[in-house]
mmCIF file of all heavy atoms in Angstrom:
data_model
loop_
_atom_site.group_PDB
_atom_site.id
_atom_site.type_symbol
_atom_site.label_atom_id
_atom_site.label_comp_id
_atom_site.label_asym_id
_atom_site.label_seq_id
_atom_site.Cartn_x
_atom_site.Cartn_y
_atom_site.Cartn_z
ATOM 1 N N LEU A 39 23.539 9.240 12.771
ATOM 2 C CA LEU A 39 24.179 7.939 12.593
ATOM 3 C C LEU A 39 25.032 8.006 11.334
ATOM 4 O O LEU A 39 24.603 7.614 10.262
ATOM 5 C CB LEU A 39 23.125 6.827 12.441
ATOM 6 C CG LEU A 39 22.224 6.570 13.634
ATOM 7 C CD1 LEU A 39 21.113 5.603 13.268
ATOM 8 C CD2 LEU A 39 23.036 6.011 14.795
ATOM 9 N N PRO A 40 26.244 8.512 11.427
ATOM 10 C CA PRO A 40 27.082 8.633 10.232
ATOM 11 C C PRO A 40 27.215 7.303 9.510
ATOM 12 O O PRO A 40 27.469 6.272 10.128
ATOM 13 C CB PRO A 40 28.438 9.083 10.789
ATOM 14 C CG PRO A 40 28.130 9.655 12.128
ATOM 15 C CD PRO A 40 26.927 8.919 12.627
ATOM 16 N N GLY A 41 26.991 7.340 8.218
ATOM 17 C CA GLY A 41 27.107 6.138 7.410
ATOM 18 C C GLY A 41 25.854 5.282 7.357
ATOM 19 O O GLY A 41 25.781 4.349 6.590
ATOM 20 N N PHE A 42 24.866 5.590 8.182
ATOM 21 C CA PHE A 42 23.649 4.794 8.206
ATOM 22 C C PHE A 42 22.432 5.560 7.698
ATOM 23 O O PHE A 42 21.343 5.038 7.689
ATOM 24 C CB PHE A 42 23.360 4.300 9.631
ATOM 25 C CG PHE A 42 24.353 3.287 10.096
ATOM 26 C CD1 PHE A 42 25.417 3.673 10.882
ATOM 27 C CD2 PHE A 42 24.239 1.968 9.724
ATOM 28 C CE1 PHE A 42 26.356 2.745 11.309
ATOM 29 C CE2 PHE A 42 25.167 1.036 10.154
ATOM 30 C CZ PHE A 42 26.230 1.418 10.942
ATOM 31 N N GLN A 43 22.610 6.788 7.292
ATOM 32 C CA GLN A 43 21.494 7.581 6.794
ATOM 33 C C GLN A 43 21.652 7.791 5.296
ATOM 34 O O GLN A 43 22.762 7.976 4.805
ATOM 35 C CB GLN A 43 21.408 8.903 7.542
ATOM 36 C CG GLN A 43 21.088 8.702 9.015
ATOM 37 C CD GLN A 43 21.131 9.996 9.777
ATOM 38 O OE1 GLN A 43 22.063 10.773 9.643
ATOM 39 N NE2 GLN A 43 20.114 10.231 10.583
ATOM 40 N N VAL A 44 20.533 7.738 4.595
ATOM 41 C CA VAL A 44 20.527 7.817 3.138
ATOM 42 C C VAL A 44 19.458 8.821 2.724
ATOM 43 O O VAL A 44 18.387 8.863 3.329
ATOM 44 C CB VAL A 44 20.205 6.422 2.539
ATOM 45 C CG1 VAL A 44 20.095 6.473 1.046
ATOM 46 C CG2 VAL A 44 21.254 5.410 2.966
ATOM 47 N N PRO A 45 19.696 9.613 1.670
ATOM 48 C CA PRO A 45 18.650 10.521 1.192
ATOM 49 C C PRO A 45 17.390 9.743 0.805
ATOM 50 O O PRO A 45 17.472 8.641 0.232
ATOM 51 C CB PRO A 45 19.276 11.185 -0.027
ATOM 52 C CG PRO A 45 20.753 11.054 0.172
ATOM 53 C CD PRO A 45 20.935 9.757 0.912
ATOM 54 N N LEU A 46 16.242 10.294 1.117
ATOM 55 C CA LEU A 46 14.969 9.633 0.832
ATOM 56 C C LEU A 46 14.840 9.265 -0.646
ATOM 57 O O LEU A 46 14.303 8.208 -0.982
ATOM 58 C CB LEU A 46 13.808 10.531 1.269
ATOM 59 C CG LEU A 46 12.416 9.948 1.090
ATOM 60 C CD1 LEU A 46 12.258 8.650 1.881
ATOM 61 C CD2 LEU A 46 11.364 10.963 1.512
ATOM 62 N N GLU A 47 15.346 10.106 -1.530
ATOM 63 C CA GLU A 47 15.239 9.831 -2.966
ATOM 64 C C GLU A 47 15.971 8.539 -3.343
ATOM 65 O O GLU A 47 15.513 7.776 -4.191
ATOM 66 C CB GLU A 47 15.817 10.998 -3.793
ATOM 67 C CG GLU A 47 15.127 12.328 -3.571
ATOM 68 C CD GLU A 47 15.586 13.028 -2.289
ATOM 69 O OE1 GLU A 47 16.730 12.826 -1.834
ATOM 70 O OE2 GLU A 47 14.760 13.763 -1.717
ATOM 71 N N VAL A 48 17.099 8.299 -2.721
ATOM 72 C CA VAL A 48 17.882 7.087 -2.993
ATOM 73 C C VAL A 48 17.130 5.861 -2.482
ATOM 74 O O VAL A 48 17.023 4.846 -3.184
ATOM 75 C CB VAL A 48 19.285 7.178 -2.348
ATOM 76 C CG1 VAL A 48 20.035 5.873 -2.472
ATOM 77 C CG2 VAL A 48 20.074 8.318 -2.965
ATOM 78 N N THR A 49 16.601 5.958 -1.277
ATOM 79 C CA THR A 49 15.832 4.845 -0.719
ATOM 80 C C THR A 49 14.597 4.562 -1.558
ATOM 81 O O THR A 49 14.285 3.409 -1.857
ATOM 82 C CB THR A 49 15.432 5.144 0.739
ATOM 83 O OG1 THR A 49 16.616 5.353 1.504
ATOM 84 C CG2 THR A 49 14.621 4.020 1.342
ATOM 85 N N THR A 50 13.892 5.611 -1.960
ATOM 86 C CA THR A 50 12.690 5.454 -2.782
ATOM 87 C C THR A 50 13.022 4.757 -4.090
ATOM 88 O O THR A 50 12.315 3.833 -4.508
ATOM 89 C CB THR A 50 12.047 6.828 -3.054
ATOM 90 O OG1 THR A 50 11.723 7.439 -1.811
ATOM 91 C CG2 THR A 50 10.792 6.689 -3.885
ATOM 92 N N HIS A 51 14.098 5.158 -4.730
ATOM 93 C CA HIS A 51 14.511 4.523 -5.990
ATOM 94 C C HIS A 51 14.818 3.041 -5.766
ATOM 95 O O HIS A 51 14.389 2.175 -6.542
ATOM 96 C CB HIS A 51 15.731 5.233 -6.581
ATOM 97 C CG HIS A 51 16.264 4.575 -7.799
ATOM 98 N ND1 HIS A 51 15.632 4.634 -9.022
ATOM 99 C CD2 HIS A 51 17.359 3.801 -7.974
ATOM 100 C CE1 HIS A 51 16.320 3.934 -9.908
ATOM 101 N NE2 HIS A 51 17.381 3.413 -9.284
ATOM 102 N N ALA A 52 15.537 2.731 -4.710
ATOM 103 C CA ALA A 52 15.900 1.341 -4.420
ATOM 104 C C ALA A 52 14.659 0.483 -4.168
ATOM 105 O O ALA A 52 14.551 -0.633 -4.687
ATOM 106 C CB ALA A 52 16.838 1.280 -3.222
ATOM 107 N N VAL A 53 13.721 1.002 -3.401
ATOM 108 C CA VAL A 53 12.490 0.260 -3.112
ATOM 109 C C VAL A 53 11.701 0.029 -4.393
ATOM 110 O O VAL A 53 11.187 -1.070 -4.624
ATOM 111 C CB VAL A 53 11.644 0.979 -2.049
ATOM 112 C CG1 VAL A 53 10.257 0.362 -1.924
ATOM 113 C CG2 VAL A 53 12.355 0.969 -0.702
ATOM 114 N N ARG A 54 11.622 1.031 -5.244
ATOM 115 C CA ARG A 54 10.911 0.855 -6.525
ATOM 116 C C ARG A 54 11.568 -0.220 -7.385
ATOM 117 O O ARG A 54 10.884 -0.997 -8.045
ATOM 118 C CB ARG A 54 10.842 2.179 -7.281
ATOM 119 C CG ARG A 54 9.850 3.135 -6.663
ATOM 120 C CD ARG A 54 9.686 4.384 -7.483
ATOM 121 N NE ARG A 54 8.636 5.191 -6.903
ATOM 122 C CZ ARG A 54 8.646 6.503 -6.849
ATOM 123 N NH1 ARG A 54 9.671 7.177 -7.357
ATOM 124 N NH2 ARG A 54 7.655 7.164 -6.306
ATOM 125 N N GLU A 55 12.886 -0.276 -7.391
ATOM 126 C CA GLU A 55 13.599 -1.303 -8.162
ATOM 127 C C GLU A 55 13.325 -2.696 -7.603
ATOM 128 O O GLU A 55 13.139 -3.653 -8.357
ATOM 129 C CB GLU A 55 15.102 -1.016 -8.187
ATOM 130 C CG GLU A 55 15.472 0.201 -9.008
ATOM 131 C CD GLU A 55 15.073 0.078 -10.472
ATOM 132 O OE1 GLU A 55 15.376 -0.956 -11.091
ATOM 133 O OE2 GLU A 55 14.448 1.022 -10.997
ATOM 134 N N VAL A 56 13.274 -2.813 -6.293
ATOM 135 C CA VAL A 56 12.959 -4.103 -5.670
ATOM 136 C C VAL A 56 11.542 -4.535 -6.058
ATOM 137 O O VAL A 56 11.309 -5.693 -6.417
ATOM 138 C CB VAL A 56 13.113 -4.040 -4.133
ATOM 139 C CG1 VAL A 56 12.522 -5.276 -3.464
ATOM 140 C CG2 VAL A 56 14.566 -3.870 -3.759
#
Side-chain angles (χ1 to χ4, degrees):
L39 296 171
F42 291 97
Q43 295 175 313
V44 176
L46 183 59
E47 300 80 28
V48 173
T49 301
T50 301
H51 175 73
V53 170
R54 286 186 175 143
E55 290 299 311
V56 168

